[in-house]
Amino acid sequence: MGVLDPLVRLWRFNGGLHPPTRKAPSNAQPARALPPPPRLLLPLTQHVGAAARPVVNPGQHVGRGELLAAADGYVSAALHAPTSGTVVALEARPIAHPSGLSAPCLVLDADDADAWGALPAPLADWRTAAAAEIRRRVREAGIVGLGGAAFPTAVKLAAEPPPNLLIVNGAECEPYITCDDRLMRERAAAIVGGVLILRHALGAAAALVAIEDDKPEALAAMRAAVAASGAAELRVQAVPTRYPSGGERQLIRVLTGREVPSGGLPAELGIVCQNVATAAAVFEAITTGRPLTARYVTVTGAGVHTPQVVEARIGTPVADLVAACGGYTAAAARLIYGGPMMGFALADDGVPLGKGGNCILVAGATELAPPAPALPCIRCGDCVRACPADLLPQQLYWHARAREFERAGELGLFDCIECGCCAAVCPSRLPLVQYYRHAKGELLAAERERHKADLARERHGARQARQAREEAERAARLAAKKAHPAPAPEAAAPAAATATAPASVATAPTAAASPAPTTTDDPRQAAIAAALARAQARRARAAADATAGTSTDAAPGDDDGRG
Amino acid sequence: MLFPTASSPHLHTGASVGALMRRVLYALLPGIAAYVWLFGPAVLAQLALASTVALACEAAALALRGRPLAPALGDGSALVTAWLLALALPALAPWWLTALGTAFAIVVAKHLYGGLGYNPFNPAMIGYVVLLVSFPREMSTWPGARELLAQPADLAASLRLIFGAGGLDHVLALDALSAPTPLDSLRTGLGLGRGVAEIVASPAFGVLGGRGWELASLAFLAGGLWLCWTRTAAWQIPAGMLGALALTATVPWLVDPQHHASPALHLASGGALLGAFFIATDPVSASTTPRGRLLYGAGIGVLTYVIRAWGGYPDGIAFATLLMNIAAPTIDAYTRPRVFGHGPR
């Protein structure tokens, strides 16, 4: 019996909403491929994880698809040139982030050629390729989850043990967003090809493509593509339209009846989820060698002249996207990056489209809920009914408001997926999700502080233990000297020097400057010499970075506060 | 181009406290119509009086607390309190009784606790209980239902009685119009050693409960069901309360029907239906978890029966509601739903 055979019925999650979907204007015509804008802004963090490490210098000319910045660490993603042109700067620019803060970006001025650079050879027969090879190529193509989360795809492909089931998410449950709908209608074969590649790389037995039933054209196109592929253990499944059925945990519940444990990952259930657009990007990368340089994005709302889906280069400023769709209408009042439920408001349209950007919503003044003053909570419980995580949002709110963050954590604050259902139904118009984000931030900050304090305490304890040990050793030597008053090597000085040297590299030179090693202290002196060498190497690397013309902002590992 | 920023979600269903309160007021209309038919235009005079006093007190309290007037006056919560209290008072109650109860409900039970959303007790029931304890005679002088009276009071007579200055002819006129409520009759009759069958055979009783009163009960039931249908009120609370009241009344009735009224009489009499759908469901002072609401409602049902059967008052909705109000936070703490992804399913 196959993995899919028992999955004959659908389940439901509690809560959720049926907001007006408003997908109609933007999904009516085919996606239009936009030419690259004159200037592209490419943040080094367009993904979850460490910032990419730049490998180009300002002034350098690059072809489309050439590497601009390499993945730096396991959870990171490479960045490629979305068009051919000249890198003009590496500097801090405002990016699409709720904080509105700036982050290091590569600035690329397009030439008119839009010519591909050198690309890796296509992997012609991926069916016989090793999983590790596919994973490596997906990683090198800079592919991240294109549904919005932007988690590096290659990391998810390393699930161990191999999952039973690959769920491919084409639910697209959030109002207004239509890019996956168009992609499924237009590139169903590429998506199915990508699904098969992903399934092969994962070693998963079966794959299920889930699409909300308000997208009949996408369902038909995908079903036809699956039939044409002739693949077994691959099915397209329509799921009821209900926000947030496209949430990973909710979708798994709907399809399998199982719940991802709190704080856990779908892999614990033998399941891996990927978005349909991610699958298409993987297909492209494996079969053509082309890395991720463009994506489908919905530009919609009453504030834009011609709502539509466009295929835009990563790094295209939002202003250029809107201009390509006819520009702003007189009604334009709010600019939202992402959907109306989970997206965040942009103050300025100069920020670029990132890899995870699926929608630019330019809302009219009355299109979304006009801001209203918050009234006190009347405990009506509508939020409880709407919550897909089965939380008690009003109690979380009370505790978050009272700054009882620990209590909110005990009540399941971190099970909140920030879908916004509670705030969307709140008759008192309380910004509930904002309270939860704040509470989570406070708890995480407290956790970091605690961790730091623990480390400091550990270090302190270790130092005291070492000092005690050295004191004992010295006393023992003294006793030995008294017993045998023969001349002995001078051992006390280095011991005293190392006693004041903690593990940190900064003080290593001081320790090394102590008197010449004696035979009894050899291992200790060797360790100090090694630490000194490490410190010198680090200084040399830092100097090299500085001379390479990179600003201090671009230091790898720069924490932009995402998370 | 610069845009205003706000936190997600940016979409809202349009639900508002004002709309919610207005739905409660609409749902009361059938019951009010039945009351007017039963007791005459005095009911409308009481509603108008209570509304005026409630809005005036709300405005004064907001002004003293330095809060903006418009949002709170527009949310309709003061009107809901006023109407519920006015419907709980005898239709011909003197004006000062209504005014005092309403003022106490708004100023003390609501605003001294922090205003809408912060009051631990149902304000209308606090106002009612204060009057019941302080002015038992005025609170028990109910006009007789239309069918029991030779000449029901018209508008002018009603206004004279409500706003009159007292005096002998006032008392006599009021006496001529008043009659014991069905639960009063039941209590007095049982106290005199008469059987239930004999008591309900009197003309004051109809098919289910008191003659005429049962009509009002059905009207409140209709409005209440609509409230639950529109999800304005949580269905668990009336279901728990009426279910528990019926169950608690069934056992003694089956054992000894001569000394215990039937569950139907209990459900259709007094404030049972008004209380179940409109008073116990006040979200601010009720439990908020789905299971907790069932328990909370059931607690009110049981306590109501206990007070009616063995307590010092003919009806017990108000005391039962207030007692369960205190218990609501505890109930909530013990009835939290299982969070998604936690524990077995």
Side-chain angles (χ1 to χ4, degrees), chain B residues 90 92-94 96-97 131 134-142 174:
Chain B
L92 293 174
W96 55 264
L97 194 75
L131 297 180
S134 314
F135 308 100
R137 190 170 60 85
E138 285 82 356
M139 287 297 283
S140 57
T141 312
W142 274 85
L174 202 55

Side-chain angles (χ1 to χ4, degrees), chain A residues 259 340 347 379-380 394 415 437, chain B residues 3 8 10 286 288 293 341-342:
Chain A
E259 291 183 6
R379 296 161 41 96
C380 65
Q394 94 280 3
D415 291 298
R437 281 199 202 103
Chain B
F3 296 92
S8 70
H10 309 281
T288 57
R293 284 172 161 169
H342 284 256

Side-chain angles (χ1 to χ4, degrees), chain A residues 70-121:
Chain A
D72 194 35
Y74 184 60
V75 182
S76 183
L79 179 62
H80 301 82
T83 183
S84 59
T86 309
V87 177
V88 293
L90 170 57
E91 60 191 23
R93 292 275 190 142
I95 62 163
H97 189 267
S99 67
L101 294 177
S102 297
C105 293
L106 282 163
V107 183
L108 177 68
D109 274 359
D111 58 22
D112 289 335
D114 194 22
W116 286 96
L119 296 175

Side-chain angles (χ1 to χ4, degrees), chain A residues 253 259 261-262 333 340-341 343 347 368-369 376-380 389-390 394 401 411 415 420 423-424 426-427 429 434 437, chain B residues 2-4 7-13 15-17 116-118 231 283-284 286 288 293 332 336 338-342 345:
Chain A
R253 164 86 189 150
E259 291 183 6
S262 170
M341 296 300 289
L368 303 174
C377 170
I378 56 166
R379 296 161 41 96
C380 65
D390 302 331
Q394 94 280 3
R401 212 174 102 98
L411 293 180
D415 291 298
C426 178
R429 301 296 297 268
Q434 200 176 341
R437 281 199 202 103
Chain B
L2 267 185
F3 296 92
S7 173
S8 70
H10 309 281
L11 207 60
H12 193 269
T13 58
S16 74
V17 175
L116 180 68
Y118 296 93
R231 298 193 161 182
V284 176
T288 57
R293 284 172 161 169
D332 278 355
R336 280 199 296 273
R338 188 193 66 95
V339 176
F340 188 95
H342 284 256
R345 171 96 124 196

Side-chain angles (χ1 to χ4, degrees), chain B residues 240-254 260-263 266 298-306 309-310:
Chain B
M241 173 178 162
L242 297 175
L245 178 60
L247 274 180
T248 333
T250 301
V251 178
W253 173 66
L254 285 178
H260 299 281
S262 71
H266 274 288
I300 296 179
V302 171
L303 285 174
T304 298
Y305 184 82
V306 168
W310 299 291

